[in-house]
Amino acid sequence: MDMIKERFSAKADALAAEIKDILKEHGNKKIGEVTLVQIYQGMRGITGLVSETSLLDAQEGIRFRGYSIPELQQKLPKAPKGSQPLPEGLFYLMLVGDLPNQDEADEVTEIWQRRSHVPNHVFDAIEAIPVSSHPMTQFVVAIMALQTESQFAKKYAAGMAKKDYWDAAFDDAMDLIARLPRIAAYIYRRKYKNGEHIHPNGLLDWAGNFAHMLGFEDESFRELMRLYMTIHADHEGGNVSAHATHLVGSALSDPYLSFAAGMNGLAGPLHGLANQESIKWIFEMREELGVELPSKEQIEEYVKKTLGEGKVVPGYGHAVLRKTDPRFTAQAEFAKQHIPDDPIVNTVWRVYETVPPILQSLGKIKNPWPNVDAHSGALLVHYGLVEYEFYTVLFGVSRALGVMASLCWDRALGLPIERPKSVTTELVKRWLRGEDEIWGE
Ligand code: HAX
């Protein structure tokens, strides 16, 4: 058994026993109440899920197993001569719950290298759809084609016992994460680089090799990829991509099917696609104004025009956060250090000074501050990765780390099929008139 699998198994056994005791003693304790407005408005604020890998605080932002992003940048192992965390280390932390040392992170790199082979039929499946298809469509097609490799599906069909679910899900999770950079890079090179593909470099770490296969050899771009893959990995359990993966997985759909569901959710413009929408919005603004770095007054006018057309300002707002996203700040810090004079980056910073008071003045937006997607595009454009329709695929590769670690926990803890109760408005009206009751089934 791999070191990481052994450690996960020991932690999972201990937590499963602890949860059993907690539920025995406190299972009927109420966590909160659900209001009518919550069930009509996206279940905001309803605590209804368990996700072990990270926790989001509205004011402070995300913490992975208790560690903030700046703490992770300090404490997680790095690539040789690097200063950004290795995503391998973050995955270990999310899965096992402990900070890894350098050897442990390097071992994850090695395990993923060993598991990274992508069968030819996956590339054939990508080639079977038009090259003009959105990269997220190609990505999901590839993940679905890769499902032929699912150990979980094979073992389930052969009659796997419940106690072995986590083991097969774990193997699928590791295989899938290991293979995603090759698939994503293939889609990028197919769509934007005339199908001139680049072989993996087995000497590089997971994100470094991904940068290499995309065609970027600049060391500071590799560092950006390590940071990017770390900060986009997880945002607790309720966001659309995490929740969709968890929900579909709860039907014992294998990790490939579950992850594809999550990626279909990430492809929505209110979620992961906001990263392409945000830079597209900046490009369109610059083009319309005919300037490289618009003034605050020009940005102000453009924001008002966007809102006047009944559109959202992409990259701003959040369902849970109520402050500037620390993932935005981490990218701004990276830019300050590596590329402080870039005009697109400077536009992003000027937009940041301009947009929040305007959104705030509307009085209806709960969070006027930028989220992760407001900054990522500008960094990528600087290094030459300008094809913004590809950006959500990058997000998806990273998001696999969090949702797959969580799925391993779901199976190890034996979490059941998810099935909340829904109501009709007709029942709600009868209930309000005192003619009926709303209770669980
Ligand atoms: N621009 C304009 N209007 C906005 C807005 C924005 N950036 N953010 C919220 N609003 C509007 C909402 O559309 C809503 O309007 P209506 O009442 O007319 O329907 C109102 O303000 C209240 O919304 P809210 O309660 O503040 O926000 P929600 O929790 O409903 O939605 C969203 C959160 C992130 C979807 C929202 O802020 C948004 O659409 N932002 C722009 C898209 C975006 O950046 N998405 C990425 C979010 C982070 C993420 O998942 N990354 O992957």
Side-chain angles (χ1 to χ4, degrees):
M1 209 190 262
D2 284 336
M3 157 282 290
I4 187 169
K5 192 189 233 182
E6 226 168 85
R7 296 206 180 144
F8 171 69
S9 169
K11 291 276 181 164
D13 286 348
L15 188 65
E18 217 178 318
I19 291 172
K20 209 170 157 195
D21 290 345
I22 292 172
L23 291 182
K24 204 166 149 200
E25 203 178 328
H26 305 288
N28 288 326
K29 262 203 180 125
K30 285 199 176 142
I31 277 186
E33 287 180 0
V34 178
T35 62
L36 205 47
V37 85
Q38 286 176 307
I39 67 168
Y40 276 96
Q41 291 182 357
M43 300 195 276
R44 258 356 144 264
I46 298 178
T47 302
L49 293 166
V50 174
S51 182
E52 306 291 349
T53 46
S54 65
L55 188 64
L56 182 57
D57 179 87
Q59 303 300 325
E60 197 197 43
I62 193 69
R63 277 183 182 266
F64 301 83
R65 295 282 190 176
Y67 296 99
S68 67
I69 288 172
E71 286 167 354
L72 291 180
Q73 284 174 297
Q74 224 191 344
K75 292 178 193 289
L76 282 178
K78 320 272 187 300
K81 296 201 198 117
S83 61
Q84 295 300 332
L86 283 171
E88 288 89 328
L90 175 71
F91 178 76
Y92 182 102
L93 174 69
M94 288 191 291
L95 188 80
V96 176
D98 300 328
L99 275 175
N101 59 29
Q102 189 74 44
D103 285 349
E104 286 158 341
D106 290 346
E107 197 168 330
V108 176
T109 303
E110 209 181 290
I111 293 168
W112 287 348
Q113 276 165 357
R114 253 191 282 129
R115 291 172 176 254
S116 63
H117 173 74
V118 176
N120 276 338
H121 75 269
V122 174
F123 301 122
D124 294 343
I126 298 172
E127 293 293 343
I129 57 170
V131 72
S132 58
S133 316
H134 191 280
M136 278 305 277
T137 308
Q138 300 192 39
F139 191 49
V140 173
V141 164
I143 296 159
M144 290 306 302
L146 199 55
Q147 190 269 346
T148 53
E149 308 309 293
S150 172
Q151 293 298 319
F152 188 95
K154 285 187 192 117
K155 288 183 175 163
Y156 193 89
M160 172 169 51
K162 272 186 183 176
K163 67 172 180 41
D164 297 326
Y165 289 172
W166 76 267
D167 192 297
F170 183 99
D171 282 331
D172 279 358
M174 295 298 263
D175 286 344
L176 178 58
I177 293 169
R179 290 157 163 167
L180 288 176
R182 176 97 168 90
I183 288 171
Y186 187 93
I187 293 166
Y188 179 73
R189 304 289 306 180
R190 174 189 188 225
K191 190 166 168 78
Y192 304 112
K193 304 289 170 190
N194 299 319
E196 288 158 17
H197 299 291
I198 298 171
H199 285 294
N201 177 345
L203 299 174
L204 287 170
D205 54 287
W206 184 74
N209 184 37
F210 186 22
H212 159 75
M213 288 188 289
L214 288 168
F216 297 86
E217 297 302 346
D218 187 328
E219 188 50 37
S220 98
F221 183 81
R222 282 187 196 155
E223 281 286 273
L224 174 64
M225 270 303 100
R226 290 170 191 131
L227 174 67
Y228 189 111
M229 292 294 133
T230 298
I231 62 176
H232 286 80
D234 209 34
H235 220 220
E236 73 169 36
N239 67 79
V240 172
S241 51
H243 190 188
T245 306
H246 163 79
L247 169 65
V248 172
S250 84
L252 295 187
S253 305
D254 64 59
Y256 294 86
L257 298 173
S258 309
F259 183 62
M263 290 302 98
N264 281 311
L266 194 75
L270 296 189
H271 188 21
L273 203 81
N275 63 5
Q276 84 164 43
E277 293 302 296
S278 180
I279 198 74
K280 187 171 158 218
W281 181 84
I282 286 179
F283 279 145
E284 285 170 357
M285 171 171 66
R286 293 190 345 158
E287 200 181 316
E288 192 170 310
L289 298 171
V291 291
E292 209 181 30
L293 180 57
S295 67
K296 280 181 78 171
E297 292 69 33
Q298 286 173 313
I299 295 171
E300 219 170 281
E301 282 313 303
Y302 197 77
V303 171
K304 287 180 182 156
K305 179 171 168 272
T306 303
L307 294 171
E309 287 166 356
K311 297 190 258 183
V312 296
V313 179
Y316 282 76
H318 201 273
V320 180
L321 268 175
R322 294 294 175 258
K323 283 270 169 69
T324 296
D325 191 334
R327 300 172 299 174
F328 177 94
T329 311
Q331 295 179 93
E333 291 299 326
F334 184 94
K336 272 182 213 156
Q337 200 187 332
H338 293 264
I339 47 172
D341 301 323
D342 183 277
I344 287 254
V345 166
N346 277 280
T347 307
V348 165
W349 294 346
R350 211 168 263 184
V351 169
Y352 178 35
E353 288 165 20
T354 316
V355 167
I358 303 177
L359 293 183
Q360 213 146 23
S361 72
L362 299 179
K364 67 169 182 178
I365 295 173
K366 296 193 192 68
N367 175 36
W369 303 106
N371 57 59
V372 65
D373 299 318
H375 209 308
S376 52
L379 287 164
L380 297 166
V381 167
H382 172 87
Y383 287 101
L385 208 168
V386 295
E387 301 88 354
Y388 53 71
E389 282 199 342
F390 184 72
Y391 293 174
T392 312
V393 175
L394 291 178
F395 194 155
V397 174
S398 167
R399 187 47 59 97
L401 303 179
V403 301
M404 284 298 108
S406 276
L407 203 67
C408 291
W409 276 102
D410 294 352
R411 295 292 75 80
L413 297 176
L415 299 187
I417 188 163
E418 191 170 281
R419 203 329 187 163
K421 176 83 184 81
S422 71
V423 291
T424 60
T425 301
E426 195 44 48
L427 175 63
V428 168
K429 287 195 290 185
R430 286 206 304 276
W431 170 69
L432 288 172
R433 291 197 297 266
E435 296 165 8
D436 214 330
E437 291 185 342
I438 297 185
W439 301 118
E441 276 172 345

